[in-house]
């Protein structure tokens, strides 16, 4: 079964069930009609000469333009020669990481066709007001789903002293359960487990997240192997630490990490984590055994992998050399324009970025995951490493295709898989009756060239036409 068939098989039953219970076309009284357009989504593929009717925050009908009867008052958009896709997601953003960007981010996401984002780490006092503003009825903003702080161990990596503060400690199973209970009470949409937790705390976080009905995102904890952590969470971020399980001596490496962690608790979290990465990551890439890795990938077939490939492959795909970079950068806050005009200074000091090994490993791993049937999600880690909100998601799609995904699969990574993470396949991710009215109208076909997702004509979010300039 090819990738497109797998997507259709996985999501068509829910889609048909939703479409069957939608109101008849004549019940729609007002909204938007896009006529004579080619519709593309990762569930049903490409459909030419369609008319799509939007009524409020729902798609009311989709059908052949020749047979579509319009009843009611619609704002008409001629889609001739254009291509309509579901609104895009960025599955990995940090809305409050850089205070200079907080007010700019929502509008930038919309401008680039990002109609939903998953915030994967921020302290609640800073994050909650941002979420409330983005969820206001008149907001020019994507839908936002958030986890609250990184649930870390000891020492906390992002502790507010040695790095930006976005993490909190879960040192015991009891503290882990209490943290998740508190986040649930504050309205988070999911939780995110970070790298310094112990296996016992990891277990407690998983149990608490499941008991509260919260999806779980995670890094692979440094005290665990990827094959043990992956099957228990709903998404894993950055493909980080997976390679440490793809070598013959994976258990030996794990024991070394555990000893190093136990001895280094007095160090700062960010230094300790970086030291472990330097100590094992590149050597593991050099010793990678794809036969061993095949068994590891087999544990991940029900866990969405969010590679944030643009971050790891920044040297292979230098964004600062793109022709459209200056115009995109000009839309950023003035304080960042000069700062981001050259690659980040830390890249020169990080061994992983001194050659192409890490970036090439990332591309190879994504391709192998695709072959193994592991679901891939699109995320960017915006705004880290000069990730312009929205703009960087299109870079990510381009890299996913370079790694071996088809353009249709890349679209699925930014539409179907994010919806699946939240069990929202019956509401988002396809252009079909009953789906949320989040749509992007393109001037060129993304199936011919995934870079065509950049050529945006209109953005519709929550059933409303959005400004794109």
């Amino acid at each position: 079964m090819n990738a497109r068939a797998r997507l259709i098989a996985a999501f068509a039953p829910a889609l048909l069930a939703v479409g069957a219970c939608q109101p008849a076309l004549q019940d729609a009284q007002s909204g938007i009609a896009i006529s004579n357009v080619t519709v593309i989504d990762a569930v049903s593929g490409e459909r030419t000469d369609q008319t799509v009717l939007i009524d409020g925050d729902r798609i009311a009908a989709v059908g052949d333009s020749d047979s579509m009867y319009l009843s009611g008052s619609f704002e008409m958009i001629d889609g001739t020669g254009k291509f309509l896709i579901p609104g895009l997601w960025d599955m990995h953003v940090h809305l409050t990481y850089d205070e200079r960007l907080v007010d700019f981010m929502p509008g930038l996401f919309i401008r680039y066709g990002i109609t939903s984002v998953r915030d994967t780490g921020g302290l609640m006092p800073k994050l909650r007001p941002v979420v409330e503003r983005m969820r206001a009825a008149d907001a020019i903003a994507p839908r936002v789903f958030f986890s609250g702080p990184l649930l870390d161990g000891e020492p906390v990596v992002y502790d507010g002293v040695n790095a930006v503060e976005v993490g909190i400690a879960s040192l015991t199973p009891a503290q882990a359960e209490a943290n998740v209970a508190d986040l649930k009470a504050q309205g988070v949409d999911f939780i995110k487990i970070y790298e310094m937790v112990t296996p016992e705390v990891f277990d407690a976080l998983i149990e608490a997240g499941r008991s509260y009905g919260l999806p779980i995102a995670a890094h692979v904890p440094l005290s665990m192997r990827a094959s043990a952590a992956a099957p228990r969470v709903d998404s894993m971020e950055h493909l980080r630490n997976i390679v440490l399980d793809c070598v013959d001596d994976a258990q030996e490496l794990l024991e070394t990490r555990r000893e190093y962690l136990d001895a280094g608790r007095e160090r700062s979290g960010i230094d300790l984590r970086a030291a472990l990465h330097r100590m094992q990551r590149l050597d593991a890439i050099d010793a990678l055994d794809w036969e061993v890795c095949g068994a590891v990938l087999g544990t991940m077939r029900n866990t969405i992998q969010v590679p944030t490939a643009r971050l790891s492959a920044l040297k292979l795909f230098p964004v600062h050399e793109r022709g459209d970079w200056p115009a995109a950068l000009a839309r950023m806050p003035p304080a960042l324009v000069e700062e981001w005009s050259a690659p980040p200074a830390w890249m020169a000091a990080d061994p992983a970025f001194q050659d192409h090994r890490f970036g090439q490993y990332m591309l190879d791993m994504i391709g192998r995951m695709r072959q193994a049937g592991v679901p891939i999600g699109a995320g960017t880690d915006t705004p880290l490493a000069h990730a312009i909100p929205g703009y960087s998601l299109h870079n990510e799609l381009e890299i996913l295709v370079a790694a071996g995904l088809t353009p249709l699969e890349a679209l699925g990574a930014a539409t179907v898989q994010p919806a699946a993470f939240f069990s929202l396949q019956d509401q988002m991710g396809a252009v079909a009756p009953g789906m949320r009215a989040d749509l992007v109208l393109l001037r060129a076909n993304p199936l011919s060239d995934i870079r065509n997702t950049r050529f945006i004509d209109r953005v519709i979010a929550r059933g409303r036409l959005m400004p794109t300039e």
Side-chain angles (χ1 to χ4, degrees):
M1 184 181 291
N2 62 31
R4 175 176 167 184
R6 286 198 301 269
L7 283 167
I8 293 171
F11 297 105
L15 178 59
L16 291 173
V18 171
C21 65
Q22 292 310 304
L25 175 58
Q26 57 266 29
D27 293 339
Q29 297 301 312
S30 63
I32 300 169
I34 305 171
S35 62
N36 307 307
V37 71
T38 296
V39 170
I40 297 171
D41 64 46
V43 175
S44 300
E46 183 175 5
R47 291 160 284 165
T48 60
D49 197 19
Q50 300 287 291
T51 290
V52 177
L53 305 182
I54 298 165
D55 187 23
D57 187 22
R58 296 282 182 175
I59 297 174
V62 180
D64 293 336
S65 294
D66 289 343
S67 59
M68 185 69 74
Y69 171 70
L70 300 185
S71 174
S73 175
F74 290 92
E75 179 172 353
M76 301 297 299
I77 296 174
D78 184 3
T80 302
K82 296 173 183 175
F83 304 84
L84 190 68
I85 63 173
L88 300 169
W89 288 65
D90 190 327
M91 284 191 77
H92 196 117
V93 309
H94 297 280
L95 294 168
T96 58
Y97 188 87
D98 189 330
E99 292 183 357
R100 298 170 296 179
L101 268 171
V102 168
D103 293 334
F104 286 77
M105 279 184 138
L108 284 170
F109 281 125
I110 288 296
R111 186 195 181 281
Y112 289 105
I114 315 305
T115 59
S116 295
V117 297
R118 194 180 66 148
D119 187 285
T120 52
L123 296 187
M124 293 300 290
K126 291 184 177 181
L127 188 56
R128 192 162 38 228
V130 174
V131 170
E132 289 174 356
R133 290 196 299 271
M134 292 175 67
R135 288 179 173 174
D138 60 348
I140 307 300
R143 302 179 197 269
V144 56
F145 301 79
F146 67 103
S147 68
L150 309 177
L151 297 172
D152 209 355
E154 182 184 21
V156 172
V157 174
Y158 288 96
D159 59 359
V161 178
N162 303 285
V164 175
E165 188 176 13
V166 292
I168 61 174
S170 294
L171 304 184
T172 66
Q175 188 178 22
E177 198 284 332
N179 282 338
V180 176
D182 179 59
L183 291 175
K184 174 66 176 181
Q186 294 190 67
V188 301
D189 301 292
F190 65 109
I191 61 170
K192 182 179 175 187
I193 304 172
Y194 210 58
E195 291 187 41
M196 308 301 278
V197 299
T198 64
E200 295 76 21
V201 167
F202 181 84
D203 290 345
L205 290 169
I206 296 293
E207 184 176 347
R210 297 301 180 210
S211 70
Y212 288 111
L214 293 169
I216 301 169
H219 286 210
V220 179
L222 285 162
S223 62
M224 299 178 68
R225 291 172 62 168
S227 53
R232 304 186 62 195
V233 301
D234 301 296
S235 78
M236 290 174 62
E237 313 303 306
H238 310 300
L239 307 191
R240 187 165 291 160
N241 303 334
I242 292 173
V243 71
L244 304 180
D245 206 5
C246 287
V247 293
D248 287 332
D249 59 346
Q251 187 62 31
E252 197 175 310
L253 291 180
L254 175 63
E255 296 304 327
T256 300
R257 290 198 303 278
R258 287 178 172 174
E259 291 172 6
Y260 207 88
L261 285 165
D262 289 341
R265 298 296 181 189
E266 301 305 315
R267 298 178 63 173
S268 75
I270 198 159
D271 286 344
L272 180 57
R273 186 189 67 155
L276 281 165
H277 287 174
R278 285 194 300 270
M279 183 171 66
Q280 292 190 342
R281 184 165 57 184
L282 287 177
D283 285 346
I285 289 172
D286 288 339
L288 189 153
D289 184 323
W290 285 116
E291 186 173 346
V292 172
C293 206
V296 176
L297 298 186
T299 70
M300 300 180 179
R301 292 195 179 99
N302 295 313
T303 304
I304 300 168
Q305 301 297 317
V306 185
T308 61
R310 57 144 298 271
L311 176 63
S312 301
L314 201 55
K315 192 165 184 178
L316 290 176
F317 297 87
V319 68
H320 299 81
E321 298 177 12
R322 292 187 57 89
D324 58 358
W325 174 257
L329 187 60
R331 297 187 178 92
M332 298 288 281
L336 290 180
V337 172
E338 183 176 356
E339 182 179 324
W340 286 20
S341 61
W346 55 262
M347 282 181 59
D350 189 332
F353 288 93
Q354 289 176 8
D355 57 37
H356 294 313
R357 281 182 291 169
F358 190 50
Q360 190 58 54
Y361 152 74
M362 177 69 65
L363 298 182
D364 293 343
M365 182 62 79
I366 293 169
R368 295 278 183 160
M369 286 182 166
R370 175 190 177 271
Q371 293 171 10
V374 176
I376 304 292
T380 64
D381 217 2
T382 293
L384 279 72
H386 297 187
I388 295 176
Y391 173 92
S392 59
L393 191 278
H394 298 277
N395 297 339
E396 185 74 9
L397 296 182
E398 189 175 339
I399 294 170
L400 291 180
V401 171
L405 274 67
T406 67
L408 189 64
E409 289 167 340
L411 287 177
T415 54
V416 173
Q417 299 301 346
F421 177 84
F422 292 107
S423 299
L424 292 174
Q425 305 96 309
D426 62 343
Q427 298 182 46
M428 307 176 76
V431 183
M435 292 288 176
R436 295 290 182 182
D438 297 336
L439 299 161
V440 182
L441 187 62
L442 303 174
R443 297 191 297 273
N445 190 341
L447 301 188
S448 301
D449 188 332
I450 194 62
R451 292 173 295 184
N452 289 337
T453 58
R454 302 172 186 273
F455 299 121
I456 295 172
D457 184 85
R458 310 282 182 99
V459 176
I460 297 170
R462 290 178 280 185
R464 298 161 48 217
L465 280 168
M466 294 281 120
T468 55
E469 294 296 338

Coordinates of all heavy atoms in Angstrom, one line a residue, residues 299-342:
T299 N 9.3 0.4 16.8 CA 8.6 0.8 18.1 C 7.9 2.1 17.9 O 7.1 2.5 18.8 CB 9.6 0.9 19.3 OG1 10.4 2.0 19.1 CG2 10.4 -0.4 19.4
M300 N 8.1 2.8 16.8 CA 7.6 4.2 16.6 C 6.4 4.3 15.7 O 6.0 5.4 15.3 CB 8.8 5.1 16.2 CG 9.9 5.1 17.1 SD 11.3 6.1 16.5 CE 12.4 6.0 17.9
R301 N 5.9 3.2 15.2 CA 4.9 3.3 14.2 C 3.6 3.9 14.6 O 2.7 4.3 13.8 CB 4.6 1.9 13.6 CG 5.8 1.4 12.8 CD 5.4 0.2 11.9 NE 6.6 -0.3 11.2 CZ 7.3 -1.3 11.5 NH1 7.0 -2.0 12.6 NH2 8.4 -1.7 10.7
N302 N 3.4 4.1 15.9 CA 2.2 4.8 16.4 C 2.5 6.1 17.1 O 1.7 6.6 17.9 CB 1.4 3.8 17.4 CG 0.9 2.6 16.7 OD1 0.3 2.7 15.6 ND2 1.1 1.4 17.3
T303 N 3.7 6.6 16.9 CA 4.2 7.8 17.5 C 4.6 8.8 16.5 O 5.6 8.5 15.7 CB 5.4 7.5 18.5 OG1 5.0 6.5 19.4 CG2 5.8 8.7 19.2
I304 N 4.0 9.9 16.4 CA 4.4 10.9 15.4 C 5.7 11.5 15.8 O 6.0 11.9 16.9 CB 3.3 12.1 15.4 CG1 1.9 11.5 15.1 CG2 3.7 13.2 14.4 CD1 0.8 12.5 15.3
Q305 N 6.6 11.5 14.8 CA 7.9 12.1 14.9 C 8.0 13.5 14.3 O 7.6 13.7 13.2 CB 9.0 11.2 14.2 CG 9.1 9.8 14.8 CD 9.5 9.7 16.2 OE1 10.4 10.4 16.7 NE2 8.8 8.9 17.0
V306 N 8.4 14.4 15.1 CA 8.4 15.8 14.6 C 9.9 16.2 14.5 O 10.5 16.6 15.5 CB 7.7 16.8 15.6 CG1 7.6 18.2 15.1 CG2 6.3 16.2 15.9
P307 N 10.5 16.1 13.4 CA 12.0 16.2 13.3 C 12.5 17.6 13.5 O 13.7 17.8 13.9 CB 12.3 15.8 11.8 CG 11.1 15.0 11.4 CD 9.9 15.7 12.1
T308 N 11.7 18.7 13.3 CA 12.2 20.0 13.2 C 13.5 20.0 12.4 O 14.6 20.5 12.8 CB 12.5 20.7 14.6 OG1 13.4 19.9 15.3 CG2 11.2 20.7 15.4
A309 N 13.4 19.5 11.2 CA 14.6 19.2 10.4 C 15.3 20.5 10.0 O 16.6 20.5 9.8 CB 14.2 18.4 9.1
R310 N 14.6 21.6 9.8 CA 15.3 22.8 9.4 C 16.3 23.3 10.5 O 17.3 23.9 10.2 CB 14.2 23.9 9.3 CG 13.4 24.2 10.5 CD 13.0 25.7 10.7 NE 14.1 26.5 10.9 CZ 14.7 26.7 12.1 NH1 14.2 26.2 13.2 NH2 15.7 27.6 12.2
L311 N 16.0 22.9 11.7 CA 17.0 23.3 12.8 C 18.3 22.4 12.7 O 19.4 23.0 12.7 CB 16.3 23.0 14.1 CG 17.1 23.2 15.4 CD1 17.6 24.7 15.5 CD2 16.3 22.9 16.6
S312 N 18.1 21.1 12.5 CA 19.3 20.2 12.5 C 20.0 20.3 11.2 O 21.3 20.1 11.2 CB 18.9 18.8 12.8 OG 18.2 18.7 14.1
A313 N 19.3 20.6 10.1 CA 20.0 20.6 8.8 C 20.2 22.1 8.3 O 20.2 22.3 7.1 CB 19.1 19.9 7.8
L314 N 20.4 23.0 9.2 CA 20.6 24.4 8.9 C 21.8 24.6 8.0 O 21.7 25.5 7.1 CB 20.7 25.2 10.2 CG 20.3 26.7 10.1 CD1 18.9 26.9 9.5 CD2 20.4 27.4 11.5
K315 N 22.8 23.8 8.2 CA 24.0 24.0 7.3 C 23.8 23.5 5.9 O 24.3 24.0 5.0 CB 25.2 23.4 8.0 CG 26.5 23.8 7.3 CD 27.7 23.4 8.2 CE 29.0 23.9 7.6 NZ 30.2 23.6 8.4
L316 N 23.0 22.4 5.8 CA 22.7 21.9 4.5 C 21.7 22.8 3.7 O 21.7 22.8 2.5 CB 22.1 20.5 4.6 CG 23.1 19.4 5.1 CD1 22.4 18.1 5.3 CD2 24.2 19.2 4.1
F317 N 20.8 23.4 4.5 CA 19.8 24.3 3.8 C 19.9 25.7 4.5 O 19.1 26.1 5.3 CB 18.4 23.7 4.1 CG 18.2 22.4 3.4 CD1 18.5 21.2 4.1 CD2 17.7 22.3 2.2 CE1 18.3 19.9 3.5 CE2 17.5 21.0 1.6 CZ 17.8 19.9 2.3
P318 N 20.9 26.4 4.1 CA 21.2 27.7 4.8 C 20.2 28.8 4.4 O 20.1 29.3 3.3 CB 22.6 28.1 4.2 CG 22.7 27.4 2.9 CD 22.0 26.1 3.1
V319 N 19.3 29.0 5.4 CA 18.2 29.9 5.1 C 18.6 31.3 4.8 O 18.0 32.0 4.0 CB 17.2 29.9 6.4 CG1 17.9 30.5 7.6 CG2 15.9 30.6 6.1
H320 N 19.8 31.7 5.4 CA 20.2 33.1 5.1 C 20.7 33.4 3.7 O 20.9 34.5 3.3 CB 21.3 33.4 6.1 CG 20.9 33.4 7.5 ND1 20.9 32.2 8.2 CD2 20.6 34.3 8.4 CE1 20.5 32.4 9.4 NE2 20.3 33.7 9.6
E321 N 20.8 32.3 2.9 CA 21.2 32.4 1.5 C 20.0 32.3 0.6 O 20.2 32.4 -0.6 CB 22.2 31.3 1.2 CG 23.5 31.4 2.0 CD 24.5 30.3 1.7 OE1 24.3 29.6 0.7 OE2 25.5 30.1 2.5
R322 N 18.8 32.1 1.1 CA 17.6 32.1 0.3 C 17.3 33.5 -0.3 O 17.5 34.5 0.3 CB 16.4 31.6 1.0 CG 16.5 30.1 1.5 CD 15.2 29.7 2.1 NE 14.1 29.9 1.2 CZ 13.6 29.0 0.3 NH1 14.2 27.8 0.3 NH2 12.7 29.3 -0.5
G323 N 16.8 33.5 -1.6 CA 16.5 34.7 -2.2 C 15.4 35.5 -1.5 O 15.3 36.7 -1.6
D324 N 14.4 34.7 -0.9 CA 13.3 35.4 -0.3 C 13.6 35.8 1.2 O 12.7 36.3 1.9 CB 12.0 34.6 -0.4 CG 12.2 33.2 0.2 OD1 13.3 32.8 0.7 OD2 11.2 32.4 0.2
W325 N 14.8 35.4 1.7 CA 15.1 35.7 3.1 C 15.0 37.2 3.5 O 14.4 37.6 4.5 CB 16.4 35.1 3.5 CG 16.9 35.4 4.9 CD1 17.9 36.3 5.2 CD2 16.4 34.9 6.1 NE1 18.0 36.4 6.6 CE2 17.2 35.5 7.1 CE3 15.5 33.9 6.4 CZ2 17.0 35.1 8.5 CZ3 15.3 33.6 7.7 CH2 16.0 34.2 8.8
P326 N 15.7 38.1 2.7 CA 15.6 39.5 3.1 C 14.2 40.1 3.2 O 14.0 40.8 4.2 CB 16.4 40.2 1.9 CG 17.3 39.1 1.4 CD 16.5 37.9 1.5
A327 N 13.3 39.7 2.3 CA 12.0 40.2 2.4 C 11.3 39.7 3.6 O 10.5 40.4 4.3 CB 11.2 39.9 1.1
A328 N 11.5 38.4 3.9 CA 10.9 37.8 5.1 C 11.4 38.4 6.4 O 10.7 38.7 7.3 CB 11.1 36.3 5.1
L329 N 12.7 38.6 6.4 CA 13.4 39.2 7.6 C 12.9 40.6 7.8 O 12.7 41.1 9.0 CB 14.9 39.2 7.4 CG 15.7 39.6 8.6 CD1 15.4 38.7 9.8 CD2 17.2 39.6 8.2
A330 N 12.6 41.4 6.8 CA 12.1 42.7 6.9 C 10.8 42.9 7.6 O 10.5 43.9 8.1 CB 12.0 43.4 5.5
R331 N 10.0 41.8 7.7 CA 8.8 41.8 8.4 C 8.9 41.6 9.9 O 8.0 41.6 10.7 CB 7.8 40.8 7.8 CG 7.4 41.0 6.4 CD 6.4 40.1 5.9 NE 6.0 40.4 4.5 CZ 6.5 39.8 3.5 NH1 7.5 38.9 3.6 NH2 6.2 40.1 2.2
M332 N 10.1 41.3 10.4 CA 10.4 41.0 11.8 C 10.6 42.3 12.6 O 10.8 43.4 12.0 CB 11.7 40.1 11.9 CG 11.5 38.8 11.2 SD 10.5 37.7 12.1 CE 11.6 37.2 13.4
P333 N 10.5 42.2 13.9 CA 10.8 43.4 14.7 C 12.1 44.0 14.4 O 13.1 43.3 14.1 CB 10.7 42.9 16.1 CG 10.0 41.6 16.1 CD 10.2 41.0 14.7
P334 N 12.2 45.3 14.3 CA 13.5 46.0 13.9 C 14.7 45.5 14.7 O 15.8 45.4 14.2 CB 13.2 47.5 14.2 CG 11.7 47.6 14.0 CD 11.1 46.3 14.5
A335 N 14.5 45.2 16.0 CA 15.6 44.7 16.9 C 16.2 43.4 16.4 O 17.4 43.1 16.7 CB 15.1 44.6 18.3
L336 N 15.4 42.6 15.7 CA 15.9 41.3 15.2 C 16.5 41.3 13.8 O 17.2 40.4 13.4 CB 14.8 40.3 15.3 CG 14.3 39.9 16.7 CD1 13.2 38.9 16.6 CD2 15.4 39.3 17.5
V337 N 16.2 42.3 13.0 CA 16.6 42.3 11.6 C 18.1 42.2 11.5 O 18.6 41.4 10.8 CB 16.0 43.6 10.9 CG1 16.6 43.7 9.5 CG2 14.5 43.5 10.8
E338 N 18.8 43.1 12.2 CA 20.3 43.1 12.1 C 20.8 41.8 12.8 O 21.7 41.2 12.3 CB 20.9 44.3 12.8 CG 22.4 44.4 12.7 CD 23.0 45.6 13.3 OE1 22.2 46.5 13.7 OE2 24.2 45.7 13.3
E339 N 20.2 41.4 14.0 CA 20.7 40.3 14.7 C 20.6 39.0 13.9 O 21.4 38.1 14.0 CB 19.9 40.1 16.0 CG 20.3 39.0 16.9 CD 19.5 39.0 18.2 OE1 19.2 40.0 18.7 OE2 19.2 37.8 18.6
W340 N 19.6 38.9 13.1 CA 19.3 37.6 12.3 C 19.8 37.7 10.9 O 19.5 36.9 10.1 CB 17.8 37.4 12.3 CG 17.3 36.8 13.6 CD1 17.8 36.9 14.8 CD2 16.1 36.1 13.7 NE1 17.0 36.4 15.8 CE2 15.9 35.8 15.1 CE3 15.1 35.7 12.9 CZ2 14.8 35.1 15.7 CZ3 14.0 35.0 13.4 CH2 13.9 34.7 14.8
S341 N 20.6 38.7 10.6 CA 21.1 38.9 9.2 C 22.2 37.9 8.8 O 22.5 37.7 7.6 CB 21.5 40.3 8.9 OG 22.6 40.6 9.8
A342 N 22.8 37.2 9.8 CA 23.8 36.2 9.6 C 23.4 35.0 10.4 O 22.6 35.1 11.4 CB 25.2 36.8 10.0

